Amino acid sequence: MDWEAIGLKVGLEIHQQLDTRKLFCPCRSELRDEVSGTIVRRLRAAEGERGEIDVAARQTAERNLLFRYEIVPGSSCLVECDEEPPHEINTEALRIVLSIARHLNARILDEIHVMRKIVVDGSNTTGFQRTALVAINGALRMEQWEIGIPTLCIEEDAARKIEAQGNEITYRLDRLGIPLIEIATTPDIHSPEQTREVAEHIGMLLRATKKVKRGIGTIREDLNISIKGGARVEIKGVQELNMLAEYVRNEALRQLKLIEVAGKLRERNAVVHEQIHKVTHIFRNTKSKVIANAIASGGGVFAIKLSGFAGLLGKKGEDVHRIGSELAQYARVFGLGGIFHSDELPGYGITAEELNAVRSAIGAGSEDAVVLAAEKEAVARKGLSAVIERAKMAIQGVPEETRDPLPDGTTRYSRPLPGGARMYPETDIPPVRVNAVLMESLIPVEEYGAKIERMCAQYGLSREIARQIIRSWRDIEFEELSSMFPHAIAEIARLLTNTLAEMQNKKLEIEKLTVEHLAQILDAYVKGRFAKEGIEKVVEAFLCGAASIEEAIKSAGVEKLGASEIENIVRELYAQHPEISAKPNPESALMGLAMAKLRGRADGKTVNEVVKKVLTSNLQS
Amino acid sequence: MNYEEFLRTHNLVAGDRVRIQMDGGVLEGIIMPHHEFSAPEIITIKLKNGYNVGCSVESIRSIELLERAGIEVQSAVEHRQKEGLPVVSIIGTGGTIASYVDYRTGAVHPAKSPDELIKTMPEIFNIANIKPRILLSILSEDMNADYWRTIAEQVAQELKESSGVVVAHGTDTMGYTAAALAFMFQELPGPVILVGSQRSSDRPSSDAYLNLLSAVRVASGTDLGEVCVLMHEGPSDTRCAIHRATKVRKMHTSRRDAFKSINAEPLGYVEGEKIEITGEHRKRGELVYDTKLEERVNLLYFYPNMNEELFHAHFDRARGVVIAGTGLGHVSTKFVPYIREYIASGGCVVMCSQCLYGTVNMHVYSTGRALLAAGIIDGRDMLPETAYVKLMWVLAHARDKDEVRRMMMQNIAGEISERREE
């Protein structure tokens, strides 16, 4: 696929949690499972600074949602509950963001104003996210290209979604308020692979401050993707670096498909009809379980006509990107769990006769598509109204929207792109004048290239190994462990690269391993309790369920044997293999057997001495 | 140069859209009014992406006017009246239940028009036909006895035509105003409900919505003939508590459920459409009111090491003093003789407790007994703030010292509880 030819433009927005106390209160930035209470709230669409009500906010508010917030002792306080005004901004966090901004040659603003960005999906108890623009006009210089960094912001993370049931969503307040640095790029990224590389480079830069959180969920990426003739679509909340390329690829393909279908619809003069027809009577004796259940519980079947859409909605299994799914996703957001459409019918228990009866009832010919909903009337009508809206957009082309990433690399509709009228000043917090005192307290950030050079020089590593360690984001652990065990550098490097990769291949949860665990293993190793080969075995034993490193060492069976134990084993072997004495080189033969048995638990030199001893004593007897 | 001079020199005002060439970048956006805590050399620009940024005058290489500030027209909401619905008056006095963001000060200010609030709460029109009126637009810390009287007069006016009156008020001194109204209105043809919000109404999370909605329900849907305060009962947006005006106090600086009934249970609760009036209450009757108050009354908060002169100063030219004493109702023994003299010369002293919870009882310890012997009036379990307002009203109506004592110790508007279970 020639991405440049289709005009693929990708902008990245990276949100990384900082490793400090929270941004507007001194709570710990720690996710925990201890919940001490719950509060229940509703949010209202409020007016923005200039009198308008934000489109996305209104849509969410119209869904009449109820939010439950879980309170976590130590990680949330009255500020997170929106029961106390925010404290002044966390200067340590601000300093980290300023340091990155300076490193990216961005223009740091003279005075930083905290704003309220309206968010009424419940993920902020206040109904807004506190965010501030810190610097503009930066640039990321990589080997092959330079990417513009138009903005750097500091903002608070949102509460964690725990559960969503119908109208009620439960959030946990531990994550709310954790400081985030937001780095946005210009849409100068033109391929899926480039997206991944840029994201990786920015990630390495952030880690170089040593002040960002590590682990799953601490970094989240938003993608802004468009192609020529398409529209700007935002994919929010991608957590895995390796999936970025896939999301970009699929979104480009999705937009291509939508443009293609829009063209065909216009050729056919397609029209979307506003009328919602009640067709319950047609399905009185239907074999479709879904419809029968809906009718039995007091609902009905409703249909709309999309003239000229026949064959263009798509069929599951045949087309990956289908208008049909777009319609269904819109309906879902408005409370309608599922729809049926004529491109996939007959099917799902709905017969050709039933479909034809509907066609007659609503005047839909063979060129026209029919969309059905089986639900309580109010729900069905609301959902089908949303389908009508989306179908109209399908004739125009690609709608601008925000989409959620799905695990398989595709996305689904989330909400409209928020409008501009949704930010106003956070009047509880005074602005921060960026002065010389603040600028002098910034932290230096080590550039990637310089870091490789230093690690090679300092630790005697090859460039390849140094690169591997940095790119797998283990450089901090490497430097920590190397300072503790300066004579085991090679083993540490191998452990952090090959061994962990091997464990991942075996699908073991390497996140369980902390630096403390690794230090314990290395400590036992340098004390001579087991040989080099034992390190990997101990790691594996620990990840397979040993309760502690000590236990892992035991269950891995790698502990070096003492001299007398070695001697017993060698003697036993000798007794079991009488043919050895007849061999031309009995020492070599016995060594072979002994090392095979003792592999990892004794070093060659010691075994050799014991073998010599055993042979000599036997020869003597 | 500061921002003002700079704008004047360039003939620019807040609202103008400009392009600024800074050292290091370009800013394009609308000039915002100066923030009170912004440095004097800073100009604030709202960028297209919505962010406000501060740009120092010194950083500006050039500034270009792109578009003059336009005049914004606010659309008014028509008050839709529905047949058969009761009429409820909403009187605005200021406070964050009806507020908007003022960019000059960076703080929240009371709204000038009730439409600004009601526009965001259309469901209120399904419960009652609303008669809104902005009476005052002040922060509640600026309340005084004149304003209390003004509010009372307006409430009386409204009660002639409405089934109930809701008074929107700042939370800081809402308890005082509520108590004043409770003493001024001896009988009411409908409920008078004071309501406020701890989180300003410009925020999506504001408690204003549930509070105001619930207040309108109570104003139109109950037989209450009392003054009360209605606010969130807990941190959730589920239930509101209806507090008797003379027993309620703001007990937290910021929580939604800051208001608590002290030494009493709330009168009732509102949960969604359901209203539950649990306590004994006065029912709708005639309209009988009297707003006279004696303003030369002091509230004295006693503390160890209190300077004698400063203690005495509270009594100068005061006709009465309410003391928030310690524990069961005590002050330092060294002040007892002064109190005796003051009472002997015609003044009134009422003892309440700064513990707030519990009743005063000056029989238990010697200091208390000495105070009683000196002629002090037992404040029972009244809140000091409520007793202060009550004394103002009583002194304006009692004919002599004995009547003052009698009225202070009598339960006029529910301010004294006979018994406490907590």
Side-chain angles (χ1 to χ4, degrees), chain A residues 223-234:
Chain A
L223 297 161
N224 281 291
I225 303 170
S226 69
I227 64 173
K228 204 162 41 180
R232 181 164 82 88
V233 168
E234 189 183 24

Side-chain angles (χ1 to χ4, degrees), chain A residues 38-53 78 81-86 107 109-113 115-120 125-128 130-133 136-137 151 153 155 182 420 423-431 433, chain B residues 22-27 30 32 35 37-39 41-42 44 46-56 58-59 72 74 101-103 106-108 116 119-123 199-205 209 234-238 252 254-257:
Chain A
T38 321
I39 56 179
V40 162
R41 293 277 172 78
R42 288 190 195 273
L43 292 174
R44 315 262 315 190
E47 294 189 20
E49 183 173 290
R50 300 174 71 71
E52 306 115 23
I53 295 190
L78 291 182
C81 294
D82 188 39
E83 295 275 57
E84 185 179 301
R107 169 56 158 91
L109 297 166
D110 299 325
E111 196 174 75
I112 293 166
H113 290 234
M115 305 295 288
R116 293 179 186 165
K117 187 195 268 192
I118 297 288
V119 176
V120 292
T125 46
T126 50
F128 49 76
R130 295 185 183 100
T131 171
L133 181 58
I136 60 172
N137 267 15
T151 59
C153 297
E155 54 192 34
E182 184 202 84
M423 278 219 256
Y424 66 114
E426 170 49 87
T427 47
D428 292 344
I429 299 172
R433 182 77 172 90
Chain B
M22 271 194 311
D23 58 74
V26 171
L27 296 174
I30 299 172
M32 286 285 111
H35 191 296
F37 291 109
S38 209
E41 72 275 16
I42 294 287
T44 307
K46 185 182 211 32
L47 304 177
K48 202 166 135 206
N49 59 21
Y51 281 100
N52 283 10
V53 304
C55 177
S56 165
E58 281 148 27
S59 304
E72 308 235 358
Q74 291 268 4
V101 176
D102 182 334
Y103 320 119
V108 168
E116 273 163 350
K119 189 157 45 166
T120 53
M121 263 186 66
E123 52 266 79
R199 288 267 149 304
S200 55
S201 56
D202 58 283
R203 302 163 196 249
S205 64
Y209 303 115
S236 296
D237 286 337
T238 43
H252 197 281
S254 57
R255 283 172 62 134
R256 285 161 173 69
D257 58 352

